[in-house]
Amino acid sequence: MDYGMKNRLSRIINPKTGKTVMLAVDHGYFQGPTTGLKDFKKNISPLILHADCLFITRGMLRTSVDPAFSTPVCLRVSGGPSILGDLSNEDITTSLEEAIRLNASGIGMSIFVGAKNEDRTISNLGRLVGEAERYGMPVLAITAVGRDMVRDARYLGLACRIAAEIGAHFVKTYYCEDFFKVVESCPVPVVMAGGKKIPEKEALQMTANAVKEGASGVDMGRNIFQSDNPVGMMKAIKAIVHKGASVDEAFEIYSKK
Ligand code: 5RP
């Protein structure tokens, strides 16, 4: 890995802890005005400075994020279908040149293993990695889960391993039972997506479990920005991921208004 790639990755994954708390706010790229992201500037601006990295589309970055913010950015570069269509029908929507112009520290795209367009999304990942490596840009592969797929260690392990084999520099996937098996069989860092909003204590417990089982942190959205105390939740997740805080300690941090 060359200097540029290592330097960018170290802006996303803290080299001191080997972990990251990424704030995912890209949901609108297929869901439109998602709950919590409708009034993006008002709701998300107070959270950005607490995040290790912001996972976002170019459109929201350009229109709704203060360029003076120092938080590193990982840019979602895939898309195409909306929530009304075939979600696996994604292509690359944002060029590497644009990612560099926007000063991104990384780029991310989804692969749809087991879905109709798995082959195209996986070969798109291969092409993107090839191009990104020419410029020292890390690629995050997101193992999107089709409606009919079971979120278990066998399936998510398959998807993460394929992403790494194709060359992704880090991978985002969902939590599942025996999550350690997913991490064990994936040679690059695995970060956990939060999934649908669940009660705060459960989200904190899931984070603690994932980290204990080898996750390199989280790229979490709804369980932070849809919480009744998003900044508190952000701080609580950070305490677990970077400081090894217990779930009870983290819940106390979240509860402070
Ligand atoms: C959507 C994504 C999201 O960034 C990812 O799912 C994380 O967000 P959440 O914690 O809300 O699931 O990649 O496709």
Side-chain angles (χ1 to χ4, degrees):
M1 217 185 268
D2 68 8
Y3 179 89
M5 176 72 76
K6 281 187 190 155
N7 179 268
R8 284 196 176 93
L9 253 186
S10 74
R11 301 188 66 216
I12 301 173
I13 300 177
N14 184 333
K16 286 193 191 130
T17 61
K19 299 202 170 57
T20 184
V21 175
M22 298 170 69
L23 176 64
V25 290
D26 60 315
H27 305 60
Y29 91 96
F30 72 102
Q31 289 185 353
T34 307
T35 306
L37 297 178
K38 281 181 194 135
D39 194 346
F40 193 96
K41 277 190 190 165
K42 180 169 163 267
N43 293 342
I44 302 305
S45 299
L47 293 174
I48 294 176
L49 294 173
H50 295 283
D52 293 326
C53 179
L54 190 63
F55 189 59
I56 188 168
T57 59
R58 69 167 162 188
M60 296 315 285
L61 185 66
R62 293 194 302 214
T63 58
S64 310
V65 177
D66 183 345
F69 284 171
S70 56
T71 306
V73 162
C74 186
L75 206 64
R76 170 171 283 278
V77 298
S78 69
S82 79
I83 197 161
L84 307 175
D86 170 7
L87 288 179
S88 77
N89 199 17
E90 277 197 9
D91 263 311
I92 304 300
T93 49
T94 303
S95 69
L96 198 68
E97 189 185 345
E98 173 81 334
I100 293 166
R101 186 162 46 233
L102 291 168
N103 199 26
S105 297
I107 53 178
M109 65 164 287
S110 299
I111 57 167
F112 292 79
V113 174
K116 193 170 160 208
N117 293 295
E118 70 163 14
D119 45 357
R120 181 155 48 82
T121 58
I122 292 170
S123 43
N124 280 345
L125 173 64
R127 260 196 306 278
L128 189 70
V129 168
E131 201 188 345
E133 285 185 347
R134 288 172 55 204
Y135 299 94
M137 181 69 79
V139 176
L140 170 69
I142 300 140
T143 68
V145 181
R147 284 187 193 98
D148 304 330
M149 307 309 294
V150 186
R151 290 185 191 194
D152 62 14
R154 195 155 165 251
Y155 169 70
L156 295 176
L158 170 82
C160 288
R161 179 59 178 259
I162 289 172
E165 298 262 356
I166 299 296
H169 305 100
F170 59 134
V171 173
K172 168 164 69 170
T173 197
Y174 293 92
Y175 188 71
C176 62
E177 202 176 314
D178 293 336
F179 187 72
F180 70 93
K181 290 184 182 167
V182 176
V183 179
E184 260 175 20
S185 58
C186 182
V188 296
V190 176
V191 294
M192 183 196 75
K196 281 190 183 143
K197 173 78 177 71
I198 51 178
E200 276 74 6
K201 198 150 199 180
E202 286 174 32
L204 296 174
Q205 185 68 62
M206 181 171 71
T207 303
N209 292 349
V211 169
K212 211 163 120 200
E213 293 180 67
S216 299
V218 299
D219 184 13
M220 191 178 274
R222 289 162 287 182
N223 279 291
I224 294 173
F225 62 71
Q226 292 177 355
S227 168
D228 59 2
N229 183 8
V231 171
M233 199 58 185
M234 189 86 218
K235 288 180 179 169
I237 298 279
K238 279 183 94 174
I240 291 174
V241 170
H242 287 304
K243 295 188 179 149
S246 69
V247 172
D248 286 341
E249 286 164 345
F251 191 74
E252 218 169 285
I253 296 171
Y254 148 74
S255 304
K256 278 187 200 142
K257 295 270 174 180

